[in-house]
Amino acid sequence: MIWREEYALGIEALDKQHQGLFIAVNSLNDLLKTSNKRRSQRACFEALKYLENYTVVHFKDEEEYQQSIGYINYAQHKRQHDAFLKTIAYTKLDLTQSDFSDVSIKRFVGVLTSWLLYHITNSDQGIVGKATHFSDASSMSRMLQNVMLKVTDEMFHIDPEVADDNYEGDFSDSDLFCVLDFSDQDEVEYRFILALEEHLALRTVGNIVGETLNEVDELVASAIEELANVLILQVLTLFHNSETFEGKQIKMIQPNQVWKCTPQEAPECSVLFSSNMGNFGIRAWRR
């Protein structure tokens, strides 16, 4: 991951901790290039332990700062921290049970990089009054467009635009697909299907980790799943003005599985986006 000055909050202690998290994630990614497997496993265990402790300390410091300034969105922000700590615990189990296999490390790095970049460039900016405000919630389609256009541009500088707000799902078999199911405590349920061109996924994740990627592996897949999760969760939270939505299923699927996952009824919204790095589409059904 490449630290950029635009990520800085202007709060020295927190900015240094954010940079430390970037370094820790990069160290994990570098372990994938180590030829000595046993040495890699030991180093991964130590890196994971360090990252786990560092994250707990950082979240505590960040939350104490928010409380000291009376940050209005403190409760929401803390929920994001708590959820991510659970993700780290779950991934730690995956790593240890797999004996720190390359596959499990890649999955962990993919989730970490996507979540950290989103959280630092979006959620944390609100602490210093730089949060993006989305006022138009007249429809799910409009909110989806607002969030995707604004947040993806800020995170990846891909210059997106709406190509079709009545997208019919016409991607090719070489593209990537992700199905996401969400629900809230009132039993409101949604299914989303994300479709994106393979080279867009590779360039997007490659920009996050600071490398040129040539194949869709576990790192790329897990990074895309986590990005889709946090972005669509933001759409639902804003549109329903509710913090209670959570993901029930988030997974990449093969092109031949798309028709099985697609509800028969017409989607609530379906939008195709184009960008200077490729196209992506999102379809949503309320179930």
Side-chain angles (χ1 to χ4, degrees):
M1 297 181 73
I2 301 173
W3 175 263
R4 305 179 191 277
E5 283 306 311
E6 64 196 71
Y7 301 160
L9 303 178
I11 306 168
E12 184 176 1
L14 299 184
D15 286 335
K16 284 184 177 180
Q17 289 180 346
H18 284 159
Q19 292 176 53
L21 288 169
F22 272 51
I23 293 171
V25 174
N26 288 337
S27 296
L28 272 175
N29 197 26
D30 289 341
L31 292 175
L32 294 169
K33 306 175 182 66
T34 302
S35 58
N36 186 315
K37 184 172 179 59
R38 295 311 306 177
R39 184 174 61 195
S40 173
Q41 290 171 333
R42 290 195 301 271
C44 186
F45 179 81
E46 292 302 321
L48 175 62
K49 183 178 178 181
Y50 170 81
L51 181 62
E52 189 176 28
N53 293 336
Y54 197 98
T55 303
V56 170
V57 171
H58 169 63
F59 284 176
K60 179 176 179 292
D61 290 348
E62 192 173 274
E63 290 163 12
E64 287 179 351
Y65 178 81
Q66 292 177 46
Q67 289 178 307
S68 73
I69 63 172
Y71 182 46
I72 190 172
N73 290 323
Y74 165 76
Q76 173 188 354
H77 206 101
K78 188 177 188 311
R79 278 194 292 270
Q80 294 179 7
H81 285 173
D82 293 344
F84 189 63
L85 290 175
K86 290 181 181 179
T87 297
I88 289 182
Y90 172 80
T91 313
K92 178 181 178 181
L93 182 63
D94 179 42
L95 283 164
T96 54
Q97 288 183 340
S98 69
D99 199 20
F100 295 93
S101 67
D102 286 356
V103 168
S104 64
I105 296 173
K106 286 181 178 181
R107 279 199 294 261
F108 191 35
V109 171
V111 171
L112 278 172
T113 52
S114 292
W115 191 91
L116 278 174
L117 184 61
Y118 169 81
H119 194 72
I120 291 172
T121 61
N122 188 272
S123 299
D124 282 351
Q125 298 301 315
I127 301 173
V128 292
K130 296 181 182 178
T132 301
H133 297 285
F134 301 96
S135 57
D136 186 355
S138 58
S139 68
M140 172 63 77
S141 179
R142 179 57 60 189
M143 183 57 74
L144 180 67
Q145 293 175 45
N146 287 345
V147 171
M148 293 298 164
L149 292 175
K150 184 67 175 177
V151 179
T152 57
D153 183 44
E154 291 175 348
M155 289 178 67
F156 311 118
H157 307 289
I158 65 173
D159 193 25
E161 61 181 30
V162 175
D164 185 359
D165 61 3
N166 192 27
Y167 161 60
E168 296 184 356
D170 51 348
F171 271 62
S172 72
D173 287 346
S174 63
D175 296 315
L176 305 181
F177 299 88
C178 183
V179 60
L180 306 98
D181 291 333
F182 294 88
S183 65
D184 74 351
Q185 60 188 13
D186 296 323
E187 298 184 353
V188 176
E189 297 183 349
Y190 280 93
R191 165 157 291 184
F192 290 81
I193 295 180
L194 164 69
L196 69 163
E197 295 177 344
E198 181 175 308
H199 64 272
L200 172 60
L202 291 172
R203 291 181 64 182
T204 298
V205 179
N207 285 346
I208 296 175
V209 300
E211 298 179 16
T212 299
L213 302 177
N214 298 311
E215 64 174 348
V216 177
D217 58 8
E218 290 79 8
L219 190 155
V220 174
S222 61
I224 293 299
E225 288 172 353
E226 183 61 20
L227 283 173
N229 174 38
V230 294
L231 288 170
I232 293 176
L233 191 58
Q234 182 173 3
V235 171
L236 289 171
T237 298
L238 291 168
F239 181 65
H240 286 275
N241 191 27
S242 170
E243 301 287 341
T244 60
F245 279 93
E246 61 179 17
K248 296 300 184 182
Q249 173 182 242
I250 301 164
K251 66 177 182 179
M252 303 296 292
I253 57 175
Q254 296 298 316
N256 60 9
Q257 296 176 307
V258 175
W259 69 272
K260 297 179 182 178
C261 299
T262 302
Q264 293 185 349
E265 64 270 22
E268 180 163 339
C269 67
S270 185
V271 184
L272 177 68
F273 300 87
S274 62
S275 77
N276 55 10
M277 294 202 306
N279 299 333
F280 64 99
I282 302 175
R283 314 187 80 198
W285 292 263
R286 181 164 176 169
R287 309 178 76 185

